[in-house]
Amino acid sequence: MSLSVRFWGTRGSVPAPGAHTLRYGGNTPCVEVRAEGEASIILDAGTGIRELGDVLNSRANGEPLSVDIFLTHTHWDHIQGLPFFSPLYKQGSCIRIWGPDSVEAPLGNVFRLLMSPAVFPVSSEEVRAKVDIGPATGAPRRTAGCDIATLAVQHPGGAVAYRVSSTREPGSSLVYVPDNELAGKDARERDRLVQFARGAGLLVHDSTYTSEEYSGRQGWGHSTFEDAVELALAAGAAHLVLFHHAPERTDVEIDALVEKARAIEKGRGSGLVITAAAEGETLVVGGD
Ligand SMILES: [Zn+2]
Ligand SMILES: [Zn+2]
């Protein structure tokens, strides 16, 4: 059974709308994963989640929704769309928010802060849905036809990677690592990540920088596209999707990064497919 993966937000750090980001998109991270015939699973709640919420509401024909949102971490670009997720205000809906329990501010506090009067005009009392917040870490969680596993990655304040696999076809899997610094990892940490991403149909990985840009930005928690290619090759992934585009990166510049990434792969002859995440695009993993 295949998984369909739709990108609602691909941009890192801050929204970047404008004439030069039309093709790859300006919304911050939000990815929808659907196993055939099942409900959607949402990865991250950047500004892309606003439009997804409206689409989920219309798909439900006015019926209450039951939905799981998995946050990689609580940096602003991964949560700022949450107050605009319209299912929150729908009576009878049930929204489960999962994330790493190791983040500096516990998730519940972050949610209250997002909805506090100093930063948002709608009171949390207006939230009609039942909202449950809990840790995504520990044993893989099974929901909506998928098993969801986590791995801690290298990012200031802590973050996790997710591996989402179809329960009916475990080989159909997406590994989602939007914020992670690959350089400087020790061999054991790197090996754990390679094993976690092993054989992924789709590896969506942080590709914020070029190697020239990375010098002077060590420790900021992000990767170069070159390092993302090396990880995908080491893990034997089928398709690498460059993700978390720098806000200033234009569509034309992203095209050029994809070409450079493909040139690295060509030298290895691995067959790895490389593209860059584009807002509105749907990719299918697995199935016949
Ligand atoms: Zn980010
Ligand atoms: Zn971050």
Side-chain angles (χ1 to χ4, degrees):
M1 287 289 165
S2 61
L3 296 178
S4 77
V5 177
R6 184 177 168 112
F7 296 99
W8 293 89
T10 63
R11 193 66 55 174
S13 305
V14 71
H20 300 293
T21 57
L22 288 175
R23 281 189 290 120
Y24 290 104
N27 280 304
T28 64
C30 180
V31 177
E32 176 191 13
V33 185
R34 268 177 113 178
E36 266 178 62
E38 301 280 356
S40 295
I41 292 167
I42 302 173
L43 303 175
D44 279 332
T47 58
I49 202 172
R50 181 190 62 80
E51 194 181 351
L52 170 57
D54 295 343
V55 167
L56 292 179
N57 270 336
S58 63
R59 275 189 212 149
N61 282 327
E63 295 296 314
L65 284 164
S66 176
V67 67
D68 290 274
I69 301 173
F70 290 85
L71 303 177
T72 54
H73 61 313
T74 53
H75 281 166
W76 197 238
D77 50 327
H78 298 256
I79 60 170
Q80 67 196 134
L82 203 51
F84 299 90
F85 185 58
S86 53
L88 275 180
Y89 306 100
K90 177 95 186 160
Q91 188 78 40
S93 284
C94 185
I95 297 169
R96 293 168 297 277
I97 303 174
W98 308 101
D101 53 1
S102 60
V103 290
E104 281 164 4
L107 271 175
N109 289 345
V110 170
F111 185 68
R112 279 186 287 280
L113 182 68
L114 267 174
M115 303 290 295
S116 72
V119 296
F120 192 61
V122 180
S123 150
S124 57
E125 274 150 37
E126 301 293 319
V127 171
R128 295 279 178 263
K130 182 173 183 293
V131 179
D132 289 325
I133 298 175
T137 43
R141 192 166 294 283
R142 179 164 286 199
T143 186
C146 293
D147 286 323
I148 297 123
T150 60
L151 181 77
V153 293
Q154 191 74 32
H155 196 62
V160 293
Y162 286 107
R163 184 174 182 124
V164 183
S165 307
S166 162
T167 55
R168 283 174 285 182
E169 186 185 310
S172 295
S173 58
L174 154 78
V175 173
Y176 175 69
V177 200
D179 294 51
N180 175 40
E181 186 162 357
L182 284 164
K185 274 189 184 304
D186 70 33
R188 277 178 51 199
E189 268 184 334
R190 181 180 166 78
D191 194 48
R192 270 198 291 272
L193 182 57
V194 168
Q195 294 307 328
F196 187 76
R198 175 71 65 203
L202 212 59
L203 171 61
V204 177
H205 197 282
D206 185 342
S207 305
T208 302
Y209 301 132
T210 63
S211 51
E212 295 79 30
E213 291 164 348
Y214 180 68
S215 65
R217 290 168 175 167
Q218 289 93 342
W220 289 20
H222 295 291
S223 293
T224 67
F225 75 88
E226 294 98 325
D227 284 344
V229 173
E230 293 301 335
L231 173 69
L233 290 170
H239 182 166
L240 169 67
V241 181
L242 309 181
F243 193 76
H244 205 274
H245 309 309
E248 67 278 11
R249 190 89 65 215
T250 65
D251 288 334
V252 171
E253 288 169 348
I254 293 174
D255 287 339
L257 291 196
V258 171
E259 287 313 311
K260 286 180 184 168
R262 286 176 180 164
I264 298 171
E265 187 286 323
K266 209 170 174 190
R268 315 293 178 85
S270 67
L272 170 69
V273 174
I274 302 174
T275 58
E279 198 174 304
E281 180 185 33
T282 301
L283 299 174
V284 176
V285 192
D288 296 317

Short mmCIF file of all heavy atoms in Angstrom, two decimals, residues 31 33 41-45 68-74 78 96-101 103 107 134-141 147-153 159-165 173-179 193 196-197 200 202-205:
data_model
loop_
_atom_site.label_atom_id
_atom_site.label_comp_id
_atom_site.label_asym_id
_atom_site.label_seq_id
_atom_site.Cartn_x
_atom_site.Cartn_y
_atom_site.Cartn_z
N VAL A 31 3.89 18.90 6.28
CA VAL A 31 3.82 17.80 5.31
C VAL A 31 2.67 16.89 5.71
O VAL A 31 2.52 16.54 6.89
CB VAL A 31 5.16 17.02 5.28
CG1 VAL A 31 5.07 15.82 4.34
CG2 VAL A 31 6.31 17.93 4.85
N VAL A 33 0.85 13.22 5.24
CA VAL A 33 1.12 11.84 4.81
C VAL A 33 -0.20 11.06 4.92
O VAL A 33 -0.88 11.14 5.94
CB VAL A 33 2.16 11.15 5.71
CG1 VAL A 33 2.50 9.77 5.19
CG2 VAL A 33 3.42 12.01 5.83
N ILE A 41 -1.98 12.16 8.32
CA ILE A 41 -1.05 12.42 9.42
C ILE A 41 -0.31 13.70 9.04
O ILE A 41 0.08 13.87 7.88
CB ILE A 41 -0.05 11.26 9.56
CG1 ILE A 41 -0.77 9.99 10.03
CG2 ILE A 41 1.10 11.62 10.50
CD1 ILE A 41 0.07 8.74 9.89
N ILE A 42 -0.12 14.59 10.01
CA ILE A 42 0.52 15.87 9.70
C ILE A 42 1.88 15.94 10.39
O ILE A 42 1.99 15.65 11.59
CB ILE A 42 -0.36 17.04 10.18
CG1 ILE A 42 -1.74 16.95 9.50
CG2 ILE A 42 0.31 18.38 9.88
CD1 ILE A 42 -2.74 17.97 10.03
N LEU A 43 2.89 16.29 9.62
CA LEU A 43 4.24 16.47 10.16
C LEU A 43 4.55 17.96 10.19
O LEU A 43 4.60 18.60 9.14
CB LEU A 43 5.27 15.74 9.29
CG LEU A 43 5.04 14.23 9.11
CD1 LEU A 43 6.05 13.65 8.12
CD2 LEU A 43 5.13 13.50 10.43
N ASP A 44 4.69 18.50 11.35
CA ASP A 44 4.98 19.91 11.62
C ASP A 44 3.80 20.84 11.29
O ASP A 44 2.95 20.52 10.47
CB ASP A 44 6.26 20.38 10.90
CG ASP A 44 7.52 19.98 11.69
OD1 ASP A 44 7.43 19.85 12.93
OD2 ASP A 44 8.59 19.80 11.07
N ALA A 45 3.81 21.96 12.00
CA ALA A 45 2.67 22.89 11.94
C ALA A 45 3.14 24.30 11.60
O ALA A 45 2.74 25.28 12.21
CB ALA A 45 1.93 22.88 13.28
N ASP A 68 -3.82 13.56 13.83
CA ASP A 68 -2.56 13.55 14.59
C ASP A 68 -1.58 14.51 13.94
O ASP A 68 -1.36 14.46 12.72
CB ASP A 68 -1.94 12.15 14.58
CG ASP A 68 -2.75 11.17 15.42
OD1 ASP A 68 -2.52 11.11 16.62
OD2 ASP A 68 -3.63 10.49 14.85
N ILE A 69 -0.97 15.36 14.77
CA ILE A 69 0.08 16.27 14.31
C ILE A 69 1.37 15.90 15.03
O ILE A 69 1.41 15.88 16.27
CB ILE A 69 -0.28 17.74 14.62
CG1 ILE A 69 -1.61 18.13 13.97
CG2 ILE A 69 0.85 18.68 14.18
CD1 ILE A 69 -2.11 19.52 14.37
N PHE A 70 2.41 15.59 14.27
CA PHE A 70 3.70 15.23 14.86
C PHE A 70 4.68 16.38 14.63
O PHE A 70 4.98 16.71 13.49
CB PHE A 70 4.24 13.94 14.22
CG PHE A 70 3.46 12.71 14.61
CD1 PHE A 70 2.30 12.34 13.92
CD2 PHE A 70 3.86 11.93 15.68
CE1 PHE A 70 1.57 11.22 14.29
CE2 PHE A 70 3.13 10.80 16.07
CZ PHE A 70 1.98 10.46 15.37
N LEU A 71 5.14 16.98 15.71
CA LEU A 71 6.08 18.09 15.62
C LEU A 71 7.51 17.57 15.79
O LEU A 71 7.77 16.78 16.70
CB LEU A 71 5.81 19.12 16.72
CG LEU A 71 4.40 19.72 16.76
CD1 LEU A 71 4.28 20.67 17.97
CD2 LEU A 71 4.08 20.47 15.47
N THR A 72 8.41 18.03 14.93
CA THR A 72 9.82 17.62 15.09
C THR A 72 10.45 18.35 16.26
O THR A 72 11.34 17.83 16.93
CB THR A 72 10.63 17.92 13.82
OG1 THR A 72 10.47 19.31 13.48
CG2 THR A 72 10.18 17.05 12.65
N HIS A 73 10.01 19.61 16.48
CA HIS A 73 10.48 20.43 17.59
C HIS A 73 9.61 21.68 17.61
O HIS A 73 8.70 21.80 16.77
CB HIS A 73 11.97 20.75 17.47
CG HIS A 73 12.39 21.52 16.26
ND1 HIS A 73 11.98 21.20 14.98
CD2 HIS A 73 13.19 22.61 16.12
CE1 HIS A 73 12.52 22.03 14.12
NE2 HIS A 73 13.25 22.92 14.79
N THR A 74 9.86 22.57 18.55
CA THR A 74 8.93 23.71 18.69
C THR A 74 9.56 25.04 18.28
O THR A 74 9.10 26.09 18.72
CB THR A 74 8.38 23.79 20.13
OG1 THR A 74 9.48 23.80 21.04
CG2 THR A 74 7.48 22.61 20.44
N HIS A 78 8.11 25.82 12.86
CA HIS A 78 7.44 24.52 12.82
C HIS A 78 6.12 24.50 13.58
O HIS A 78 5.44 23.47 13.61
CB HIS A 78 8.39 23.43 13.35
CG HIS A 78 9.61 23.30 12.49
ND1 HIS A 78 9.80 22.28 11.59
CD2 HIS A 78 10.66 24.15 12.33
CE1 HIS A 78 10.93 22.47 10.94
NE2 HIS A 78 11.48 23.61 11.37
N ARG A 96 -4.61 15.45 18.20
CA ARG A 96 -3.53 14.94 19.06
C ARG A 96 -2.21 15.52 18.55
O ARG A 96 -1.89 15.38 17.36
CB ARG A 96 -3.51 13.42 19.03
CG ARG A 96 -4.75 12.80 19.69
CD ARG A 96 -4.88 11.31 19.41
NE ARG A 96 -5.05 11.04 17.99
CZ ARG A 96 -6.22 11.11 17.35
NH1 ARG A 96 -7.32 11.41 17.99
NH2 ARG A 96 -6.28 10.86 16.05
N ILE A 97 -1.49 16.20 19.43
CA ILE A 97 -0.22 16.82 19.06
C ILE A 97 0.91 16.07 19.77
O ILE A 97 0.91 15.96 20.99
CB ILE A 97 -0.19 18.31 19.45
CG1 ILE A 97 -1.37 19.06 18.79
CG2 ILE A 97 1.14 18.96 19.04
CD1 ILE A 97 -1.52 20.50 19.24
N TRP A 98 1.82 15.55 18.96
CA TRP A 98 2.94 14.77 19.50
C TRP A 98 4.25 15.49 19.21
O TRP A 98 4.39 16.14 18.18
CB TRP A 98 2.99 13.38 18.84
CG TRP A 98 1.70 12.64 18.88
CD1 TRP A 98 0.79 12.51 17.86
CD2 TRP A 98 1.16 11.92 19.98
NE1 TRP A 98 -0.28 11.75 18.26
CE2 TRP A 98 -0.08 11.38 19.56
CE3 TRP A 98 1.59 11.68 21.29
CZ2 TRP A 98 -0.89 10.61 20.40
CZ3 TRP A 98 0.78 10.92 22.13
CH2 TRP A 98 -0.44 10.40 21.68
N GLY A 99 5.19 15.32 20.10
CA GLY A 99 6.50 15.93 19.85
C GLY A 99 7.51 15.39 20.82
O GLY A 99 7.18 14.62 21.72
N PRO A 100 8.77 15.81 20.64
CA PRO A 100 9.81 15.32 21.56
C PRO A 100 9.59 15.89 22.96
O PRO A 100 9.30 17.08 23.10
CB PRO A 100 11.10 15.87 20.95
CG PRO A 100 10.68 17.00 20.08
CD PRO A 100 9.28 16.74 19.64
N ASP A 101 9.68 15.06 23.96
CA ASP A 101 9.48 15.56 25.32
C ASP A 101 10.74 16.21 25.87
O ASP A 101 10.75 16.79 26.93
CB ASP A 101 8.98 14.46 26.27
CG ASP A 101 9.87 13.25 26.24
OD1 ASP A 101 10.88 13.27 25.51
OD2 ASP A 101 9.56 12.28 26.95
N VAL A 103 12.29 18.75 24.48
CA VAL A 103 12.45 20.15 24.10
C VAL A 103 12.46 21.02 25.36
O VAL A 103 11.84 20.68 26.37
CB VAL A 103 11.36 20.64 23.12
CG1 VAL A 103 11.55 20.00 21.76
CG2 VAL A 103 10.00 20.41 23.66
N LEU A 107 5.72 20.84 25.55
CA LEU A 107 4.80 21.16 24.46
C LEU A 107 3.54 21.89 24.92
O LEU A 107 3.07 22.82 24.26
CB LEU A 107 4.37 19.86 23.79
CG LEU A 107 5.22 19.37 22.64
CD1 LEU A 107 4.70 18.01 22.18
CD2 LEU A 107 5.17 20.36 21.50
N GLY A 134 1.19 15.04 23.74
CA GLY A 134 1.98 13.99 24.38
C GLY A 134 3.30 13.76 23.68
O GLY A 134 3.56 14.30 22.60
N PRO A 135 4.16 12.94 24.29
CA PRO A 135 5.47 12.67 23.70
C PRO A 135 5.40 11.68 22.54
O PRO A 135 4.72 10.66 22.62
CB PRO A 135 6.26 12.07 24.87
CG PRO A 135 5.22 11.48 25.76
CD PRO A 135 3.96 12.26 25.58
N ALA A 136 6.11 12.01 21.47
CA ALA A 136 6.15 11.12 20.30
C ALA A 136 7.24 10.08 20.44
O ALA A 136 7.30 9.11 19.68
CB ALA A 136 6.41 11.94 19.04
N THR A 137 8.13 10.30 21.40
CA THR A 137 9.29 9.43 21.53
C THR A 137 8.90 8.13 22.24
O THR A 137 7.81 8.00 22.76
CB THR A 137 10.40 10.15 22.32
OG1 THR A 137 9.80 10.82 23.42
CG2 THR A 137 11.08 11.20 21.46
N GLY A 138 9.82 7.17 22.26
CA GLY A 138 9.52 5.86 22.85
C GLY A 138 9.16 4.88 21.75
O GLY A 138 9.64 5.01 20.61
N ALA A 139 8.31 3.92 22.07
CA ALA A 139 7.96 2.88 21.09
C ALA A 139 7.22 3.53 19.92
O ALA A 139 6.52 4.52 20.10
CB ALA A 139 7.07 1.85 21.76
N PRO A 140 7.40 2.97 18.70
CA PRO A 140 6.69 3.53 17.55
C PRO A 140 5.17 3.58 17.79
O PRO A 140 4.61 2.70 18.44
CB PRO A 140 7.03 2.55 16.42
CG PRO A 140 8.32 1.94 16.82
CD PRO A 140 8.28 1.86 18.32
N ARG A 141 4.56 4.64 17.33
CA ARG A 141 3.13 4.87 17.54
C ARG A 141 2.39 4.43 16.27
O ARG A 141 2.85 4.72 15.17
CB ARG A 141 2.94 6.36 17.78
CG ARG A 141 1.61 6.78 18.29
CD ARG A 141 1.70 8.20 18.79
NE ARG A 141 2.57 8.28 19.96
CZ ARG A 141 2.22 7.92 21.19
NH1 ARG A 141 1.01 7.44 21.42
NH2 ARG A 141 3.06 8.02 22.20
N ASP A 147 2.99 3.26 11.03
CA ASP A 147 3.80 3.22 12.25
C ASP A 147 4.74 4.40 12.19
O ASP A 147 5.39 4.64 11.15
CB ASP A 147 4.62 1.91 12.31
CG ASP A 147 3.73 0.73 12.67
OD1 ASP A 147 2.82 0.91 13.49
OD2 ASP A 147 3.94 -0.36 12.11
N ILE A 148 4.84 5.13 13.31
CA ILE A 148 5.65 6.35 13.33
C ILE A 148 6.72 6.20 14.40
O ILE A 148 6.43 6.12 15.59
CB ILE A 148 4.78 7.59 13.58
CG1 ILE A 148 3.80 7.75 12.42
CG2 ILE A 148 5.63 8.85 13.68
CD1 ILE A 148 2.39 7.78 12.81
N ALA A 149 7.98 6.17 13.95
CA ALA A 149 9.11 6.03 14.87
C ALA A 149 9.89 7.34 14.90
O ALA A 149 9.82 8.14 13.97
CB ALA A 149 10.02 4.89 14.38
N THR A 150 10.63 7.55 15.99
CA THR A 150 11.40 8.79 16.13
C THR A 150 12.88 8.49 16.37
O THR A 150 13.24 7.41 16.86
CB THR A 150 10.92 9.62 17.34
OG1 THR A 150 11.07 8.84 18.53
CG2 THR A 150 9.48 10.05 17.20
N LEU A 151 13.70 9.46 16.05
CA LEU A 151 15.12 9.42 16.40
C LEU A 151 15.55 10.84 16.74
O LEU A 151 15.24 11.78 15.98
CB LEU A 151 15.95 8.90 15.22
CG LEU A 151 17.45 8.79 15.51
CD1 LEU A 151 17.75 7.56 16.37
CD2 LEU A 151 18.26 8.74 14.22
N ALA A 152 16.26 11.00 17.85
CA ALA A 152 16.78 12.34 18.21
C ALA A 152 17.85 12.75 17.20
O ALA A 152 18.68 11.93 16.80
CB ALA A 152 17.36 12.30 19.62
N VAL A 153 17.81 14.00 16.78
CA VAL A 153 18.81 14.50 15.83
C VAL A 153 19.49 15.73 16.42
O VAL A 153 19.15 16.19 17.51
CB VAL A 153 18.18 14.81 14.45
CG1 VAL A 153 17.72 13.54 13.77
CG2 VAL A 153 17.05 15.83 14.57
N ALA A 159 15.58 18.05 18.72
CA ALA A 159 14.57 17.83 17.68
C ALA A 159 14.58 16.33 17.37
O ALA A 159 15.53 15.63 17.73
CB ALA A 159 14.88 18.62 16.41
N VAL A 160 13.52 15.86 16.73
CA VAL A 160 13.49 14.46 16.32
C VAL A 160 13.30 14.36 14.81
O VAL A 160 12.80 15.29 14.16
CB VAL A 160 12.37 13.64 17.01
CG1 VAL A 160 12.63 13.49 18.50
CG2 VAL A 160 10.99 14.23 16.75
N ALA A 161 13.71 13.20 14.28
CA ALA A 161 13.37 12.79 12.92
C ALA A 161 12.21 11.82 13.04
O ALA A 161 12.07 11.14 14.06
CB ALA A 161 14.57 12.10 12.27
N TYR A 162 11.36 11.74 12.02
CA TYR A 162 10.28 10.76 12.01
C TYR A 162 10.47 9.79 10.85
O TYR A 162 10.87 10.21 9.75
CB TYR A 162 8.92 11.46 11.83
CG TYR A 162 8.45 12.18 13.07
CD1 TYR A 162 8.48 13.56 13.15
CD2 TYR A 162 7.99 11.46 14.17
CE1 TYR A 162 8.05 14.23 14.30
CE2 TYR A 162 7.56 12.11 15.33
CZ TYR A 162 7.58 13.48 15.38
OH TYR A 162 7.16 14.14 16.52
N ARG A 163 10.17 8.53 11.12
CA ARG A 163 10.05 7.54 10.03
C ARG A 163 8.61 7.06 10.04
O ARG A 163 8.13 6.50 11.05
CB ARG A 163 11.01 6.37 10.24
CG ARG A 163 10.96 5.39 9.06
CD ARG A 163 12.00 4.29 9.14
NE ARG A 163 11.89 3.44 7.95
CZ ARG A 163 12.87 3.18 7.10
NH1 ARG A 163 14.07 3.66 7.30
NH2 ARG A 163 12.65 2.42 6.04
N VAL A 164 7.90 7.29 8.95
CA VAL A 164 6.49 6.93 8.82
C VAL A 164 6.41 5.79 7.83
O VAL A 164 6.79 5.94 6.66
CB VAL A 164 5.65 8.13 8.32
CG1 VAL A 164 4.18 7.76 8.27
CG2 VAL A 164 5.88 9.36 9.20
N SER A 165 5.93 4.62 8.30
CA SER A 165 5.89 3.43 7.44
C SER A 165 4.47 2.91 7.37
O SER A 165 3.75 2.89 8.37
CB SER A 165 6.77 2.31 8.03
OG SER A 165 8.07 2.79 8.27
N SER A 173 8.04 3.76 3.06
CA SER A 173 8.30 4.62 4.21
C SER A 173 8.92 5.94 3.80
O SER A 173 9.64 6.06 2.82
CB SER A 173 9.21 3.90 5.21
OG SER A 173 10.39 3.53 4.58
N LEU A 174 8.58 6.93 4.63
CA LEU A 174 9.08 8.29 4.49
C LEU A 174 9.92 8.58 5.72
O LEU A 174 9.50 8.29 6.84
CB LEU A 174 7.88 9.24 4.45
CG LEU A 174 8.11 10.68 4.93
CD1 LEU A 174 8.80 11.47 3.84
CD2 LEU A 174 6.81 11.34 5.30
N VAL A 175 11.10 9.14 5.52
CA VAL A 175 11.90 9.61 6.66
C VAL A 175 11.99 11.13 6.53
O VAL A 175 12.40 11.65 5.49
CB VAL A 175 13.29 8.94 6.68
CG1 VAL A 175 14.17 9.55 7.75
CG2 VAL A 175 13.12 7.44 6.93
N TYR A 176 11.56 11.80 7.60
CA TYR A 176 11.40 13.26 7.59
C TYR A 176 12.34 13.88 8.61
O TYR A 176 12.22 13.63 9.80
CB TYR A 176 9.93 13.56 7.93
CG TYR A 176 9.58 15.02 8.07
CD1 TYR A 176 9.58 15.88 6.98
CD2 TYR A 176 9.22 15.55 9.31
CE1 TYR A 176 9.24 17.22 7.11
CE2 TYR A 176 8.86 16.89 9.45
CZ TYR A 176 8.87 17.71 8.34
OH TYR A 176 8.53 19.04 8.47
N VAL A 177 13.31 14.64 8.11
CA VAL A 177 14.34 15.24 8.97
C VAL A 177 14.54 16.70 8.55
O VAL A 177 15.51 17.05 7.89
CB VAL A 177 15.69 14.48 8.84
CG1 VAL A 177 16.58 14.77 10.05
CG2 VAL A 177 15.51 12.99 8.64
N PRO A 178 13.61 17.57 8.95
CA PRO A 178 13.67 18.93 8.41
C PRO A 178 14.78 19.79 8.98
O PRO A 178 15.29 20.68 8.30
CB PRO A 178 12.30 19.51 8.76
CG PRO A 178 11.88 18.76 9.98
CD PRO A 178 12.42 17.36 9.79
N ASP A 179 15.14 19.55 10.25
CA ASP A 179 16.15 20.38 10.92
C ASP A 179 17.16 19.46 11.58
O ASP A 179 16.85 18.80 12.58
CB ASP A 179 15.51 21.27 11.99
CG ASP A 179 14.56 22.31 11.41
OD1 ASP A 179 13.70 21.93 10.62
OD2 ASP A 179 14.70 23.50 11.76
N LEU A 193 21.61 7.36 12.52
CA LEU A 193 20.75 8.04 11.55
C LEU A 193 20.71 7.28 10.22
O LEU A 193 19.64 7.14 9.61
CB LEU A 193 21.23 9.48 11.34
CG LEU A 193 20.39 10.34 10.40
CD1 LEU A 193 18.93 10.41 10.84
CD2 LEU A 193 20.98 11.75 10.29
N PHE A 196 18.42 4.46 10.70
CA PHE A 196 17.04 4.94 10.82
C PHE A 196 16.46 5.23 9.43
O PHE A 196 15.27 5.00 9.17
CB PHE A 196 17.02 6.20 11.68
CG PHE A 196 15.66 6.73 12.03
CD1 PHE A 196 14.88 6.10 13.00
CD2 PHE A 196 15.14 7.85 11.39
CE1 PHE A 196 13.63 6.60 13.34
CE2 PHE A 196 13.88 8.35 11.72
CZ PHE A 196 13.13 7.72 12.70
N ALA A 197 17.31 5.74 8.54
CA ALA A 197 16.85 6.12 7.19
C ALA A 197 17.03 4.99 6.18
O ALA A 197 16.70 5.16 4.99
CB ALA A 197 17.61 7.35 6.72
N ALA A 200 14.77 3.99 2.92
CA ALA A 200 13.56 4.82 2.86
C ALA A 200 13.16 5.07 1.40
O ALA A 200 14.02 5.33 0.56
CB ALA A 200 13.80 6.16 3.55
N LEU A 202 11.40 7.58 0.58
CA LEU A 202 11.55 9.04 0.47
C LEU A 202 12.30 9.53 1.69
O LEU A 202 11.90 9.25 2.82
CB LEU A 202 10.14 9.64 0.47
CG LEU A 202 9.87 10.91 -0.32
CD1 LEU A 202 10.20 10.71 -1.79
CD2 LEU A 202 8.40 11.29 -0.18
N LEU A 203 13.39 10.22 1.48
CA LEU A 203 14.12 10.87 2.57
C LEU A 203 14.01 12.38 2.35
O LEU A 203 14.53 12.91 1.36
CB LEU A 203 15.59 10.43 2.57
CG LEU A 203 16.52 11.20 3.53
CD1 LEU A 203 16.09 11.04 4.99
CD2 LEU A 203 17.97 10.73 3.37
N VAL A 204 13.28 13.03 3.26
CA VAL A 204 13.10 14.48 3.18
C VAL A 204 14.06 15.08 4.20
O VAL A 204 13.89 14.85 5.41
CB VAL A 204 11.64 14.85 3.52
CG1 VAL A 204 11.45 16.38 3.53
CG2 VAL A 204 10.67 14.19 2.55
N HIS A 205 15.09 15.77 3.72
CA HIS A 205 16.15 16.19 4.66
C HIS A 205 16.51 17.66 4.52
O HIS A 205 16.53 18.22 3.42
CB HIS A 205 17.41 15.34 4.47
CG HIS A 205 18.34 15.43 5.64
ND1 HIS A 205 19.17 16.51 5.85
CD2 HIS A 205 18.52 14.61 6.71
CE1 HIS A 205 19.83 16.34 6.99
NE2 HIS A 205 19.45 15.19 7.53
#
